[in-house]
Amino acid sequence: MLAMVLQYPHLGDTATDDWSPGLEFAGRLHNGRRIMGFIPCRGLATTVAVDTNLIWDVPDDWTLEEASTVPVAYATAYYALVMRGRLQRGEKVLIHSGSGGVGQAAISIALHFGCEVFTSVGTKKKREFLKERFPSLQDKHFCYSRDLSFEKHILNETNGEGVDVILNSLAEEKLKTSLNCIAQNGRFLEIGKYDFSNNTMMGMEVFLKNISFQGILLDTLFGNKGSNIDSKKELVQLIYDGIANGFVRPLSSIVFDFKEAESAFRYMASGKHIGKVILKQTTNCENFHQVPVSSRLNWKSTRLYLS
């Protein structure tokens, strides 16, 4: 994402603003209140300045580690499927890379809407994991993400009609092949950034099916324009409602100690993980306390500053 911002500066300014990794976090305020949320960058830290419009209280029965798996994955899934895709009850949905964080969140949301969910995975292990986590998924609902065979599978299972909604994270030829799986009047929701940054060309014939193609960039929520604030409020409420109804729940994860950061990034890059990779600070960083802040900071009334 950093390389993409450098190439296309209009997509964000974090690349030139002392960028450092970390979009989501979970921790405590100085008064002990446990919160989770996401920010443009610098979340991989013991101190974060949060957007008060993009935080949630952590349920009492969740650990902070569990809570840290929720914000970005569920926010992306809700923003794509519900706020932009206008998912409707009973529709057919294809969710690529279903064992990933966003994939698991999207499957949970779509099933709650009463949709028939198809999902692609790269290994048998990931398929079995999803079948255990979502018992309503049958073998026919799974296809392979490492080649182009998913097109034939989806069309066979939908009597040649395709699906109403596709949440796509596959790139290049797999993106183009995914477009062949869309039904008449369908919505294609692109959350991958590779083809955006490479300005990949695509054919226009598919639009004769009266479909829509939407680029889903959660990054656009950062900032405090009127439309952004309204979207943030809607998103926050959707996730609170999902928690209350039990289908927004912590994702599967693997935890690395903070000093094992290199191993964590290498493990994530290997594509073997299921769900989230967490970096845990071994010191007692859950207990935040107020400290003096350098005057060079540009204080914003919409943010809450923690240490």
Side-chain angles (χ1 to χ4, degrees), residues 41 58 60 91 124 136 154 156 166 171 183 189 231 257 281:
C41 64
V58 176
D60 292 339
E91 291 188 310
K124 181 178 179 180
S136 63
I154 294 299
N156 284 343
I166 296 178
L189 309 171
S231 294
D257 187 85
Q281 182 64 274

Side-chain angles (χ1 to χ4, degrees), residues 190-231:
E190 174 60 29
I191 61 173
K193 293 184 171 68
Y194 180 88
D195 288 294
F196 292 154
S197 63
N198 285 281
N199 197 25
T200 300
M201 303 298 291
M202 56 182 284
M204 299 294 288
E205 183 181 15
V206 67
F207 290 96
L208 292 173
K209 297 167 72 173
N210 197 37
I211 71 163
S212 66
F213 185 108
Q214 299 188 52
I216 306 299
L217 293 161
L218 194 64
D219 320 52
T220 60
L221 288 181
F222 299 126
N224 291 296
K225 296 180 180 178
S227 59
N228 282 352
I229 292 176
D230 291 341
S231 294

Side-chain angles (χ1 to χ4, degrees), residues 145-164:
S145 62
R146 299 290 177 89
D147 58 30
L148 305 181
S149 62
F150 61 82
E151 177 187 358
K152 181 178 179 180
H153 180 89
I154 294 299
L155 294 179
N156 284 343
E157 294 297 333
T158 59
N159 298 317
E161 294 181 358
V163 296
D164 302 293

Side-chain angles (χ1 to χ4, degrees), residues 9-75:
H10 61 281
L11 294 178
D13 60 1
T14 57
T16 58
D17 189 23
D18 298 326
W19 190 91
S20 62
L23 290 175
E24 58 193 335
F25 63 88
R28 296 181 187 270
L29 302 182
H30 66 279
N31 61 6
R33 176 187 171 193
R34 303 195 313 158
I35 63 169
M36 59 185 180
F38 63 95
I39 51 180
C41 64
R42 304 191 191 96
L44 195 61
T46 58
T47 302
V48 295
V50 306
D51 184 337
T52 56
N53 292 308
L54 284 174
I55 59 173
W56 294 264
D57 288 301
V58 176
D60 292 339
D61 57 343
W62 292 9
T63 66
L64 290 180
E65 287 179 14
E66 291 174 328
S68 70
T69 69
V70 168
V72 167
Y74 281 97

Side-chain angles (χ1 to χ4, degrees), residues 71-204:
V72 167
Y74 281 97
T76 301
Y78 265 120
Y79 184 61
L81 293 175
V82 179
M83 296 174 64
R84 298 287 299 279
R86 298 302 173 190
L87 187 66
Q88 301 297 311
R89 181 165 297 276
E91 291 188 310
K92 292 181 174 64
V93 184
L94 170 59
I95 297 167
H96 278 306
S97 305
S99 65
V102 175
Q104 291 182 44
I107 291 172
S108 184
I109 292 168
L111 290 176
H112 178 74
F113 269 71
C115 297
E116 182 174 10
V117 175
F118 297 91
T119 186
S120 67
V121 293
T123 65
K124 181 178 179 180
K125 178 181 178 181
K126 292 180 178 180
R127 183 187 68 185
E128 294 306 312
F129 165 81
L130 290 176
K131 288 174 67 176
E132 181 177 349
R133 186 173 176 91
F134 303 104
S136 63
L137 296 182
Q138 304 171 25
D139 286 338
K140 69 176 184 178
H141 294 121
F142 291 90
C143 50
Y144 192 52
S145 62
R146 299 290 177 89
D147 58 30
L148 305 181
S149 62
F150 61 82
E151 177 187 358
K152 181 178 179 180
H153 180 89
I154 294 299
L155 294 179
N156 284 343
E157 294 297 333
T158 59
N159 298 317
E161 294 181 358
V163 296
D164 302 293
V165 177
I166 296 178
L167 185 66
N168 184 65
S169 55
L170 304 184
E172 297 181 307
E173 288 304 312
K174 293 174 185 175
L175 182 153
K176 297 175 183 178
T177 300
S178 295
L179 280 166
N180 297 334
C181 300
I182 199 79
Q184 190 83 14
N185 304 313
R187 287 94 72 202
F188 192 96
L189 309 171
E190 174 60 29
I191 61 173
K193 293 184 171 68
Y194 180 88
D195 288 294
F196 292 154
S197 63
N198 285 281
N199 197 25
T200 300
M201 303 298 291
M202 56 182 284
M204 299 294 288

